[in-house]
């Protein structure tokens, strides 16, 4: 059963939530539970790209070159990919964005697209995890699952790219007042409970508007 009791009563949906934090911070893990709470689709751009790579499509062939090196796929490709996905009917009620936007250019493009349908990003969640713990998690995942971009060299590159290109997006949303930072260290339940508290806080504040 969708659990929306912590969302604002009387608020017209959609609810658009972004998870914006470094590789290994737990975005994908927490999204699995957050989609239940919000009852919206989970849009993971990393997962969409990996699926294209598996399918061997033109997008996949292009994306593979960037993913393998820990670099970002060019903005225009990502903006088109997400635009098409957001236009699908299942996103009419909102969505949970995981791994997008990752540059200020993507954030601006997302705003512009949402504006055309009277929507906007409601809440941005940052999972804060120290660098050593991020590396530890990704090294462990490389050992267990062998995700191609979890090699030591690529992980370091992904962290550098996050610092240079994605961190400024946090500032973009902080200025807008819809960034909520959460301690991302602890059990999956503990982290989820902090996320849930931020969603409730957002819901209370928008119900007061
Ligand atoms: P993407 O797939 O988005 O990867 P990422 O951001 O690097 O992050 P991860 O998926 O590795 O980590 P996560 O935060 O989801 O953590 P997870 O839950 O998995 O992107 C991959 C690539 O695609 C990019 O490098 C880029 O090339 C391209 N791309 C994607 N989007 C793009 C965009 N918008 N623009 C341009 N290029 C784009 O957890 C990690 C591990 O930690 C797991 O093993 C998990 O079990 C474990 N874990 C989770 N939570 C905890 C916890 N609380 N305690 C202990 N372990 C935990
Ligand atoms: Mg992920």
């Amino acid at each position: 059963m969708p659990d929306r009791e912590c969302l604002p009563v009387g608020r017209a949906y959609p609810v658009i939530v972004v998870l914006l934090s470094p590789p290994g911070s737990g975005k994908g893990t927490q999204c699995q539970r957050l989609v239940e709470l919000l009852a919206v689709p989970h849009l993971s751009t990393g997962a969409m790209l990996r699926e294209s790579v598996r399918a061997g499509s033109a997008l996949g062939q292009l994306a593979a070159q960037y993913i393998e090196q820990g670099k970002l796929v060019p903005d225009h490709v990502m903006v088109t990919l997400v635009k098409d996905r957001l236009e699908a009917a299942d996103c009419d009620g909102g969505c949970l964005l995981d791994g997008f936007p990752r540059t200020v250019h993507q954030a601006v493009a997302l705003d512009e697209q949402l504006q055309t349908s009277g929507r906007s990003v409601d809440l941005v969640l940052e999972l804060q995890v120290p660098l050593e713990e991020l590396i530890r998690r990704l090294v462990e995942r490389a050992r267990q699952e062998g995700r191609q971009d979890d090699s030591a060299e690529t992980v370091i590159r992904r962290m550098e790219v996050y610092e240079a290109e994605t961190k400024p997006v946090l500032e973009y949303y902080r200025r807008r007042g819809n960034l909520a930072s959460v301690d991302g260290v602890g059990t999956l339940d503990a982290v989820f409970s902090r996320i849930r508290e931020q969603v409730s806080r957002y819901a209370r504040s928008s119900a007061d508007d």
Side-chain angles (χ1 to χ4, degrees), residues 22-29 42 44 46-47 50 98-99 102 141 147 158:
S25 56
K27 300 184 294 294
T29 304
H42 174 201
S44 160
R50 282 187 289 279
D98 162 3
R102 243 175 160 100
R141 189 172 64 185
R147 197 172 114 174
R158 283 160 65 201

